[in-house]
Amino acid sequence: MINNYYILVDCNNFYASCERVFRPDLNGKPVVVLSNNDGCVIARSNEAKALGIPMGAPAFKYQEIFSRHKVHVFSANFALYGDLSNRVMSLIVRHVPEVEIYSIDEAFGLFAGFEAKTVEQEMIKLRNKIHKWTGIPVSIGIATTKTLAKVAARIAKKFPEKTNFVYTIETEEKRIKALKWLNVEDVWGIGRRISKHLQNANINNAYQFSLEPDSKIKKRFSVTVLRTKKELEGIPMLTLDHYEPKKSIATTRTFDHSADDFNVLRERIVTFAVTCSEKLRSQHSLCRVLTVFVRSNQHKQNEKQYYNSYSIRLPYATNSAIILAQFAVKALKIIYKQGILYKKAGVILHELSSDKGLQLNIFEKEHPKHLQLMRAVDKINRKLGQTKVKLAAQDPQRTWKMRQEHLSQRYTTNLNETIIIKA
């Protein structure tokens, strides 16, 4: 039957799969990936899930389990994951008429006016090509709404031996069967709080939820929940979201070791401001408001606790690293207190606007050479590495790093870390 079919391409256990691309010896073995500073588990292979390792598990509490079951542990390698994600997404864009990149490991697409069988055949080809060209396994769901495509992708991933990782919900019979199988708390768009309310009303699966009267759902919850219900019924309520520049940009870090020295914090804050400026320029934006925050270690109650932030409205919109660093240091001076062991800090940029329609201020304006200077810096850093050109306020000899004791190589983004083949 000809219809509009949404597809969802979902990378299976993405971070763990990225580590396996260049380590095929890890296939079939338990793999976990840890968060910043090797704090907690943020990705697990199916084998690690089978061992009972939960998402968000604190790494230090599970060291004994890691050792006993020979779990392969990796620090988050975002350079590698981001590059492999871009490769997967570029293949999706080539094969799907309309695409919404939803996250680093998920993308929606739309085939308007196609037969279900045709879409399924194309998605089988796409899945095979993604796996062949990138090594990343994906599951693909196909349905008449985005929410049902999510359900279909979940089924494809859960029952690979029956679906071969591609599943289509194109009939009423398959829709009802899928919704009866899916727990209500697993419905995309239904959070923990709402699912508790539904379960208290003896609504335990997605099908029961879809049978509730619209008026009752709208009265008890929100229009967003009602849209989810209609989507589960097969009525499209959500369209593809196309890319929009971020409304705010932030660079924050938890330090490996607490710091109390102002000069150390200043160097960090300047570096964060520089990183934010790079993000601004990459999306062709300017910012008008800058916020700096600092925080002590909230997990160490025996230490003096402190949190503070300060926002500054800039005299003009800018994306210059020089200007942002100057004002970030001013904000830090206002909130810095001696005698505090700082564990986390960050810079956040607000009130972003396009750099195409720059409005000039008759009294204050940016130095005209900043624009050309920033372009030159970006070009050099893209070619030679992100830390080759720095501001004088940054320590040229020090590259601050998070604790990453299990970091794999940046196989695809660093020439010095590519695979060496001995023939």
Side-chain angles (χ1 to χ4, degrees):
M1 185 175 68
I2 294 176
N3 208 330
N4 294 342
Y5 287 98
Y6 288 91
I7 62 102
L8 175 69
V9 181
D10 184 5
C11 299
N12 300 340
N13 308 320
F14 181 56
Y15 292 170
S17 295
C18 288
E19 298 294 349
R20 283 173 163 172
V21 168
F22 300 95
R23 289 283 308 277
D25 59 300
L26 299 180
N27 290 331
K29 298 178 182 178
V31 174
V32 298
V33 178
L34 305 180
S35 62
N36 291 342
N37 288 317
D38 292 346
C40 58
V41 174
I42 58 172
R44 305 159 295 162
S45 66
N46 289 336
E47 295 79 8
K49 294 175 184 177
L51 294 174
I53 301 172
M55 183 68 81
F60 74 94
K61 289 186 178 180
Y62 281 78
Q63 288 300 325
E64 194 273 332
I65 292 178
F66 294 163
S67 299
R68 188 188 341 143
H69 296 283
K70 297 181 180 179
V71 177
H72 296 266
V73 180
F74 291 91
S75 303
N77 189 341
F78 292 119
L80 175 65
Y81 308 156
D83 183 65
L84 288 176
S85 172
N86 289 336
R87 296 177 187 221
V88 171
M89 298 306 165
S90 67
L91 290 173
I92 296 172
V93 169
R94 291 185 198 178
H95 287 76
V96 181
E98 295 183 57
V99 175
E100 171 198 341
I101 297 176
Y102 183 67
S103 67
I104 193 172
D105 62 347
E106 289 181 291
F108 285 102
L110 174 63
F111 285 84
F114 281 78
E115 291 187 353
K117 194 66 178 177
T118 301
V119 177
E120 185 173 289
Q121 289 171 350
E122 286 300 312
M123 291 303 94
I124 291 172
K125 292 178 185 177
L126 175 60
R127 184 191 181 275
N128 292 338
K129 181 171 284 189
I130 290 173
H131 194 260
K132 183 177 180 179
W133 288 24
T134 69
I136 301 296
V138 301
S139 299
I140 303 178
I142 306 164
T144 53
T145 72
K146 288 176 74 175
T147 306
L148 283 175
K150 268 273 195 181
V151 179
R154 195 181 187 96
I155 293 172
K157 184 182 293 187
K158 184 71 174 179
F159 305 102
E161 64 285 346
K162 294 182 179 179
T163 65
N164 198 24
F165 293 103
V166 177
Y167 187 70
T168 306
I169 299 176
E170 78 277 29
T171 66
E172 185 67 3
E173 180 184 3
K174 291 173 78 173
R175 182 187 73 86
I176 293 173
K177 184 178 180 180
L179 297 190
K180 287 182 177 179
W181 168 80
L182 186 68
N183 293 328
V184 71
E185 65 266 24
D186 294 327
V187 175
W188 182 49
I190 300 296
R192 184 179 301 176
R193 182 180 60 84
I194 294 174
S195 66
K196 288 294 183 185
H197 285 293
L198 293 172
Q199 288 165 348
N200 289 337
N202 205 30
I203 299 171
N204 297 305
N205 61 47
Y207 182 64
Q208 292 171 327
F209 171 60
S210 70
L211 295 178
E212 288 293 291
D214 290 356
S215 57
K216 186 176 179 181
I217 295 296
K218 189 174 181 180
K219 183 178 180 180
R220 290 192 61 189
F221 304 106
S222 64
V223 175
T224 302
V225 178
L226 178 60
R227 288 195 192 114
T228 299
K229 173 186 175 297
K230 304 299 284 185
E231 287 256 317
L232 291 175
E233 293 173 359
I235 302 171
M237 303 294 292
L238 304 173
T239 58
L240 296 186
D241 293 329
H242 298 287
Y243 171 78
E244 292 183 4
K246 294 179 180 179
K247 296 181 180 179
S248 66
I249 286 176
T251 299
T252 68
R253 293 289 184 273
T254 299
F255 306 145
D256 189 8
H257 300 289
S258 298
D260 60 353
D261 183 83
F262 175 80
N263 291 326
V264 172
L265 283 174
R266 179 180 61 184
E267 195 278 336
R268 283 293 78 208
I269 290 298
V270 168
T271 297
F272 297 162
V274 170
T275 302
C276 283
S277 75
E278 293 167 353
K279 295 177 182 179
L280 269 179
R281 295 192 296 275
S282 70
Q283 69 170 39
H284 303 289
S285 295
L286 309 168
C287 89
R288 194 60 193 270
V289 177
L290 175 149
T291 299
V292 172
F293 76 86
V294 292
R295 171 179 289 164
S296 59
N297 191 337
Q298 57 187 339
H299 300 294
K300 292 189 176 181
Q301 295 300 318
N302 58 320
E303 295 179 359
K304 190 173 182 181
Q305 296 297 305
Y306 179 70
Y307 171 83
N308 206 348
S309 65
Y310 190 81
S311 298
I312 294 180
R313 173 167 285 275
L314 307 177
Y316 44 80
T318 183
N319 59 23
S320 167
I322 299 171
I323 301 302
L324 294 175
Q326 289 175 351
F327 282 95
V329 172
K330 286 184 179 180
L332 177 63
K333 288 179 178 178
I334 293 171
I335 60 177
Y336 173 77
K337 285 178 65 175
Q338 288 185 332
I340 302 293
L341 290 173
Y342 295 97
K343 186 64 175 175
K344 187 173 184 178
V347 173
I348 308 171
L349 307 181
H350 314 274
E351 293 193 21
L352 308 189
S353 59
S354 172
D355 63 3
K356 301 294 188 295
L358 176 61
Q359 295 210 350
L360 299 178
N361 186 321
I362 193 171
F363 300 109
E364 296 182 272
K365 61 181 180 179
E366 189 169 278
H367 194 290
K369 291 186 177 181
H370 279 205
L371 178 61
Q372 290 86 348
L373 177 61
M374 292 299 107
R375 285 176 178 170
V377 169
D378 289 341
K379 185 176 181 179
I380 294 171
N381 282 340
R382 278 196 300 268
K383 186 175 182 179
L384 301 178
Q386 286 301 106
T387 60
K388 294 300 180 183
V389 181
K390 296 183 177 183
L391 295 185
Q394 295 176 265
D395 188 342
Q397 304 301 323
R398 173 191 278 169
T399 301
W400 278 53
K401 295 182 179 180
M402 296 177 289
R403 182 189 301 137
Q404 295 177 307
E405 297 176 355
H406 311 282
L407 188 64
S408 56
Q409 294 175 222
R410 293 164 292 179
Y411 300 100
T412 63
T413 61
N414 190 311
L415 195 58
N416 296 320
E417 298 182 17
T418 54
I419 289 179
I420 298 175
I421 299 177
K422 298 179 179 180

